[in-house]
Amino acid sequence: QGGQPATTAAAEETWLPSLQTRTPQQGFDLAIGMARRAVRTTQPDVAALKAGRPGYAEDAARLIDVSGVAAAWFATIAAANDYWRE
Amino acid sequence: QGGQPATTAAAEETWLPSLQTRTPQQGFDLAIGMARRAVRTTQPDVAALKAGRPGYAEDAARLIDVSGVAAAWFATIAAANDYWRE
Amino acid sequence: QGGQPATTAAAEETWLPSLQTRTPQQGFDLAIGMARRAVRTTQPDVAALKAGRPGYAEDAARLIDVSGVAAAWFATIAAANDYWRE
Amino acid sequence: QGGQPATTAAAEETWLPSLQTRTPQQGFDLAIGMARRAVRTTQPDVAALKAGRPGYAEDAARLIDVSGVAAAWFATIAAANDYWRE
Amino acid sequence: QGGQPATTAAAEETWLPSLQTRTPQQGFDLAIGMARRAVRTTQPDVAALKAGRPGYAEDAARLIDVSGVAAAWFATIAAANDYWRE
Amino acid sequence: QGGQPATTAAAEETWLPSLQTRTPQQGFDLAIGMARRAVRTTQPDVAALKAGRPGYAEDAARLIDVSGVAAAWFATIAAANDYWRE
């Protein structure tokens, strides 16, 4: 435990309190949310992001890439939830 | 357990009740289904998606990408099912 | 166990009865087979796929991508077989 | 333990003392930090990197790629923290 | 165990008897070998592959991709060898 | 254990004696080193590689790819070191 200081993060809003979700579907939604949050580290202007979406939503290559990125985030969330095994 | 609120998801349909499937082949089908569902988070218009498919189905690069994305979703589903070991 | 219904799959042929293989090399062959099966979810016309192969077989970028996709499928199959440890 | 010599690293600053963080959100921030550090192994000029960011921040393909790379770093950090399970 | 038939493979040469290697470096070499073997499932003409190599060896994007693909194969081989821990 | 012969490797220099490092930062450095070594399996001319670097160091797509490849190598090294947990 420890190693990375907590001071700077304390000044920011908490948007990721946990990787645990109640259901796989909520885990899927969290994966999409984390994928988008990562985009905002490079392009923080949410309005610009939403303005660009109609363009690449027509582009099959981008849509396939989106799914691959979502799968990568979901893999970690699913492991964190022990795959929601009953 | 917990962390992510369940309230918004409760209002949506449940399309992913579980990552468990009876057979590897059903796991494969679920992987394809999740891959497509992730695409719809960006392009919700299913008719537009189906209309675009003949175009990229001729494009080897896109088809190879599709398989890589399916593999990523399948990896998580297979782990969730303990690889359907007997 | 359960979650995903078995009814639709029952009407299809069984092409993936198991992820287990006797040898690593058979696991490699299964990985290639699953990679191609995933392509067919988007381009079901096998004749069209085979017709396109000479074109992209000359394209280094596509060939490298093919290997990356095969690696992703093989990773899951190898884990399912506990890496064929003796 | 051992194998790789510690001598050259001792002369450099320590920027990665640990993969452990207190919260998932700090793990996310560390993932972004490691992703950028890896870029600097090829382009050490931070001013040049920041100068180029407005250009690719408009490019959907690059932004999706950024998210996929962040997911890859986060996967390792999350495993290192046992997913911040309580 | 079982599931996939052994008959067709028995007629082929055995090129992958095991994922186990004595050292990490041999595991690295095996990863490169498997990456190339996967390419040959699509382009079986080794002379054509070698003829094309000088071209893409000048292309930074292809070389970076090669390394990513090698990493994917190596990940599985390293796990199969329990990371050559002593 | 065994399977892959040790004879050819014995004639080469040993550049990867172990995946173990003392610190996460040394593991990061090893990941960069392995990523570059994999490139050299295709382009062995180190002078040519260094000559090409200024070109792609200006290209955001290549730099993002570099980070993704580094993440893939680091994932394996981190697992090999049990994430340098104390």
Side-chain angles (χ1 to χ4, degrees):
Chain A
Q1 300 298 322
Q4 305 303 322
T7 43
T8 52
E12 296 171 26
E13 58 156 339
T14 298
W15 63 269
L16 185 64
S18 169
L19 296 182
Q20 270 72 49
T21 67
R22 278 204 315 122
T23 67
Q25 189 167 327
Q26 291 176 321
F28 181 91
D29 292 343
L30 178 57
I32 302 296
M34 293 188 75
R36 290 181 175 161
R37 188 90 193 192
V39 167
R40 268 180 269 159
T41 61
T42 297
Q43 173 52 281
D45 182 347
V46 177
L49 285 173
K50 289 195 174 165
R53 206 178 290 171
Y56 75 85
E58 303 295 325
D59 180 345
R62 293 298 77 71
L63 291 172
I64 296 165
D65 288 351
V66 161
S67 188
V69 169
W73 289 104
F74 184 72
T76 299
I77 294 166
N81 286 278
D82 199 22
Y83 306 101
W84 301 275
R85 284 191 190 107
E86 279 150 50
Chain B
Q1 302 298 322
Q4 306 303 321
T7 44
T8 53
E12 295 170 25
E13 59 157 338
T14 298
W15 62 270
L16 184 65
S18 170
L19 297 181
Q20 270 73 47
T21 68
R22 279 204 314 121
T23 68
Q25 189 167 327
Q26 290 176 322
F28 181 91
D29 293 342
L30 179 57
I32 302 296
M34 293 188 75
R36 289 181 175 162
R37 188 90 194 190
V39 166
R40 267 180 270 159
T41 62
T42 297
Q43 173 53 280
D45 183 347
V46 176
L49 286 174
K50 289 195 175 166
R53 206 178 290 171
Y56 75 85
E58 304 294 326
D59 181 343
R62 293 296 80 71
L63 291 172
I64 296 165
D65 288 350
V66 162
S67 187
V69 169
W73 288 104
F74 184 72
T76 298
I77 294 166
N81 286 279
D82 199 23
Y83 306 101
W84 301 275
R85 283 190 191 107
E86 281 150 48
Chain C
Q1 301 297 323
Q4 306 303 321
T7 44
T8 53
E12 296 170 25
E13 58 156 340
T14 298
W15 63 270
L16 184 64
S18 170
L19 297 182
Q20 270 73 48
T21 67
R22 279 204 315 123
T23 68
Q25 189 166 328
Q26 290 177 322
F28 181 91
D29 292 343
L30 178 57
I32 302 297
M34 293 188 75
R36 289 182 175 159
R37 189 90 194 190
V39 166
R40 267 180 270 160
T41 62
T42 296
Q43 172 54 280
D45 183 346
V46 176
L49 286 173
K50 290 195 175 165
R53 206 178 290 170
Y56 75 85
E58 304 294 325
D59 180 344
R62 292 297 79 71
L63 291 172
I64 296 165
D65 288 351
V66 162
S67 187
V69 169
W73 287 104
F74 184 72
T76 299
I77 294 166
N81 286 279
D82 198 23
Y83 306 101
W84 300 276
R85 283 190 191 106
E86 282 151 48
Chain D
Q1 301 297 323
Q4 305 304 322
T7 43
T8 53
E12 296 170 26
E13 58 155 340
T14 297
W15 62 270
L16 185 64
S18 169
L19 296 181
Q20 270 73 48
T21 67
R22 279 203 315 122
T23 68
Q25 189 167 327
Q26 291 176 322
F28 181 91
D29 293 343
L30 178 57
I32 302 296
M34 293 188 76
R36 289 181 174 161
R37 189 89 193 191
V39 167
R40 267 179 270 160
T41 62
T42 297
Q43 172 51 281
D45 182 347
V46 176
L49 286 173
K50 289 194 176 167
R53 204 178 292 171
Y56 74 85
E58 303 294 326
D59 180 344
R62 293 298 77 71
L63 292 172
I64 296 165
D65 288 351
V66 161
S67 188
V69 169
W73 288 104
F74 184 72
T76 298
I77 294 166
N81 287 280
D82 199 22
Y83 306 101
W84 301 276
R85 284 190 190 108
E86 280 149 48
Chain E
Q1 300 297 323
Q4 306 303 320
T7 44
T8 52
E12 296 170 28
E13 58 157 338
T14 297
W15 62 269
L16 184 64
S18 170
L19 296 181
Q20 270 72 49
T21 67
R22 279 203 316 121
T23 68
Q25 189 166 326
Q26 290 177 322
F28 181 91
D29 292 343
L30 178 57
I32 302 295
M34 293 189 75
R36 289 182 174 161
R37 188 92 194 189
V39 166
R40 269 180 269 159
T41 62
T42 296
Q43 172 53 281
D45 183 347
V46 176
L49 286 173
K50 290 195 174 165
R53 205 177 291 170
Y56 75 84
E58 304 295 325
D59 180 344
R62 292 298 78 71
L63 291 172
I64 297 165
D65 289 351
V66 161
S67 187
V69 169
W73 288 104
F74 184 72
T76 298
I77 293 166
N81 286 279
D82 199 23
Y83 306 101
W84 300 276
R85 283 191 191 107
E86 283 150 46
Chain F
Q1 301 298 321
Q4 305 304 321
T7 44
T8 53
E12 296 170 26
E13 58 157 339
T14 297
W15 62 269
L16 184 64
S18 170
L19 296 182
Q20 270 72 49
T21 68
R22 280 203 314 122
T23 68
Q25 189 166 327
Q26 291 176 321
F28 181 92
D29 292 343
L30 178 57
I32 302 296
M34 293 188 75
R36 290 181 174 162
R37 188 91 193 191
V39 167
R40 268 180 269 159
T41 62
T42 297
Q43 172 53 280
D45 182 347
V46 176
L49 285 173
K50 289 195 175 165
R53 204 178 292 171
Y56 75 85
E58 303 294 326
D59 181 343
R62 292 298 77 71
L63 292 171
I64 296 165
D65 289 351
V66 161
S67 188
V69 169
W73 288 104
F74 184 71
T76 299
I77 294 166
N81 286 280
D82 199 24
Y83 306 101
W84 301 275
R85 284 190 191 107
E86 282 149 47

